[in-house]
Amino acid sequence: MTNFDQWMHKLHEMKDYDPERSMPEHLVTRSASARWLEEDVTGNPSRVGVLADVPAKSMEFYLQEIPAGTATDLQRHVHESVHCVVEGSGYSEIGPRTLRWSAGDFVYTPPWVWHRHYNDGTGPVRMILVENSRQLDALGINRRESAGNIPYDKMDRS
């Protein structure tokens, strides 16, 4: 099939769109289906559970656990992200600002701003993470960078 044939096929699909017929087969993703990335992949003591089966086209969903007394790496990415704190408390460095949060709060990280999340409590922090990275992946512009396990004020920004 040529590129033009594929384009025409998509055009016909758009004209004949039926949202109920086009719904994904699986609309519920169980948290137990998360594939957990450990420290050797995340680069920090937190664990990230990838929920790859959520059929969203523009967003990705993750579970994140930060053990007591630890933190994520200092990182930035071009996508937006929102952490919903399910359990625990701590604080985040988002750019030069330090912000406290606890269970029930939502922590927004703007695009390309250096940030790090800390668990200064005695139990684990559990969060649900939503980011618009799939949308940026589709455009070929998603990027992520880590400065390592350092606080924001120790980063060389020269």
Side-chain angles (χ1 to χ4, degrees):
M1 183 181 289
T2 68
N3 287 342
F4 181 72
D5 291 336
Q6 290 174 356
W7 185 88
M8 287 296 292
H9 179 73
K10 283 188 172 259
L11 177 65
H12 289 296
E13 283 181 343
M14 285 189 289
K15 286 184 169 187
D16 189 34
Y17 181 71
D18 177 350
E20 292 178 6
R21 186 182 68 226
S22 303
M23 284 191 327
E25 176 71 25
H26 302 286
L27 299 176
V28 174
T29 301
R30 307 277 180 227
S31 60
S33 73
R35 301 287 302 269
W36 288 94
L37 307 177
E38 302 294 338
E39 187 172 351
D40 61 323
V41 176
T42 65
N44 62 70
S46 76
R47 292 180 354 127
V48 174
V50 179
L51 295 167
D53 295 335
V54 174
K57 303 264 190 245
S58 62
M59 301 175 293
E60 285 193 283
F61 297 82
Y62 301 92
L63 303 176
Q64 185 168 25
E65 296 178 353
I66 306 173
T70 68
T72 64
D73 58 323
L74 183 65
Q75 60 178 263
R76 64 182 180 174
H77 35 71
V78 295
H79 55 267
E80 295 178 289
S81 66
V82 176
H83 286 78
C84 172
V85 184
V86 176
E87 180 183 336
S89 63
Y91 64 96
S92 295
E93 295 172 324
I94 302 175
R97 297 172 62 187
T98 300
L99 307 149
R100 291 217 52 90
W101 42 258
S102 60
D105 292 340
F106 293 80
V107 182
Y108 173 74
T109 305
W112 211 238
V113 173
W114 288 104
H115 61 280
R116 189 172 188 197
H117 307 292
Y118 293 81
N119 176 353
D120 61 357
T122 58
V125 163
R126 290 188 172 83
M127 302 183 190
I128 298 170
L129 171 59
V130 180
E131 41 184 63
N132 68 330
S133 49
R134 282 190 183 170
Q135 184 175 31
L136 299 181
D137 280 343
L139 296 171
I141 58 173
N142 201 21
R143 302 289 179 271
R144 181 182 301 266
E145 184 176 9
S146 174
N149 293 319
I150 61 170
Y152 178 82
D153 64 357
K154 300 293 185 219
M155 185 182 67
D156 179 13
R157 291 181 296 283
S158 57

